[in-house]
């Protein structure tokens, strides 16, 4: 019989193969997530404004550009190492959508974060911000709300939905009938902390808890289904699954800590209350820094 394509449709004759822990890929993936995603607004704030004028791309924008190239490459390399053949068309469409969504987000996020230097407060809605509500003509406010929509809603959806879909597709191939392979090396345990903490940041700052929890429930259902077949997660599957579990605990702790914050409650009035870290920063940390400077 002919050999199926590496990312072709899943075949019934696929056999379960050993898959060692991908230390290099998981390390690079975690590192670039922290540096290029979490680090981009920090780089924009701490680097001298003279280096990156407000009418030019900031350091964070260049970080974002690098992220938009490196992340899909690493996701494709991760898919390539799956011991199971995976649906090629779905992977390709997901990667294309991911790049488009992250690029849309790049533009909206760039402008929104640059507004911080003009007094924009992320813990307030667009129309409640002092620098926005007095704009004339008032149709300019609609334009800023459109920009916010591209940044926080459309960009995030087209970015994160394919991101988690690709992780789940990869996760489906992380099962083995050999119990001895269901162990994580020490390197995986060391990486689990930074990886879990990043997923906490991704979910809280991206406001994608529903997407995250549905992905996690799908992973749990798949684990239970495969267990009935006598299959267990390999080291890569355990690393991903446990990272999701720890991140969920961190999210619960974050919500419990800020549960009685009345200002953030007003910003996030829905049933699911998960404040963004940068909204917390502009509300509390900025004030703390200003008080220290005044003192």
């Amino acid at each position: 019989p002919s050999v199926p394509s590496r990312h072709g449709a899943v075949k019934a004759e696929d056999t379960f193969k050993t898959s060692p822990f991908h230390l290099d890929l998981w390390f690079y993936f975690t590192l670039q997530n922290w540096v290029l995603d979490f680090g981009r607004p920090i780089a924009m704030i701490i680097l001298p404004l003279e280096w990156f004028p407000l009418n030019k791309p900031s350091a964070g924008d260049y970080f974002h550009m690098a992220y938009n190239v490196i992340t899909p490459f690493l996701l494709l390399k991760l898919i390539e190492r799956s011991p199971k053949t995976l649906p090629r068309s779905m992977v390709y469409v997901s990667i294309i959508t991911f790049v488009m969504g992250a690029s849309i987000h790049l533009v909206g996020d760039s402008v929104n974060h640059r507004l911080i230097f003009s007094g924009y407060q992320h813990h307030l809605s667009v129309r409640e911000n002092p620098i926005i509500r007095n704009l004339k003509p008032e149709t300019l406010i609609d334009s800023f709300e459109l920009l916010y929509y591209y940044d926080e809603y459309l960009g995030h959806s087209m970015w994160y939905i394919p991101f988690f879909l690709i992780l789940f597709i990869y996760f489906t191939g992380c099962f083995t009938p050999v119990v001895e392979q269901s162990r994580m090396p020490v390197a995986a345990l060391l990486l689990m902390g930074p990886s879990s903490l990043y997923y906490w940041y991704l979910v809280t700052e991206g406001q994608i808890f529903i997407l995250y929890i549905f992905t996690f429930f799908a992973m749990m259902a798949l684990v239970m289904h495969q267990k009935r077949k006598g299959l267990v997660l390999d080291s890569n599957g355990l690393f991903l699954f446990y990272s999701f579990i720890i991140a969920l605990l961190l999210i619960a702790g974050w919500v419990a800590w800020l549960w009685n914050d009345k200002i953030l409650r007003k910003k996030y009035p829905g049933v699911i209350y998960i404040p963004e870290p940068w909204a917390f920063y502009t509300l509390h940390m900025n004030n703390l820094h200003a008080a220290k400077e005044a003192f």
Side-chain angles (χ1 to χ4, degrees), residues 154-198:
L154 184 61
H156 281 185
S157 297
M158 295 182 66
W159 176 1
Y160 295 130
I161 291 176
F163 177 81
F164 283 104
L165 180 59
I166 291 171
L167 288 181
F168 181 75
I169 292 173
Y170 171 78
F171 185 77
T172 62
C174 294
F175 291 88
T176 175
V178 184
V179 178
E180 288 74 15
Q181 295 174 12
S182 186
R183 296 174 182 173
M184 287 190 297
V186 175
L189 296 175
L190 294 176
L191 270 179
M192 192 177 298
S195 176
S196 304
L197 194 58
Y198 174 73

Side-chain angles (χ1 to χ4, degrees), residues 38 49-50 53 61 70 91 97 117 121 123 131 134 139-140 143 168 210-211 247:
F38 180 78
L49 188 61
E50 295 77 19
D61 297 336
I70 296 173
V91 170
T97 307
F117 293 104
Q121 302 174 50
H123 61 278
I131 68 168
N134 295 324
T139 51
L140 285 176
S143 298
F168 181 75
I210 294 179
L211 173 61

Side-chain angles (χ1 to χ4, degrees), residues 164 198-210 212 247 251 274:
F164 283 104
Y198 174 73
Y199 286 126
W200 161 82
Y201 170 75
L202 194 67
V203 173
T204 54
E205 187 65 29
Q207 293 293 286
I208 53 168
F209 179 77
I210 294 179
Y212 180 82
I251 294 168
I274 301 180

Side-chain angles (χ1 to χ4, degrees), residues 142-155:
D142 295 330
S143 298
F144 275 98
E145 284 189 324
L146 176 63
L147 179 68
Y148 185 83
Y149 170 79
Y150 273 113
D151 177 16
E152 296 295 326
Y153 294 101
L154 184 61

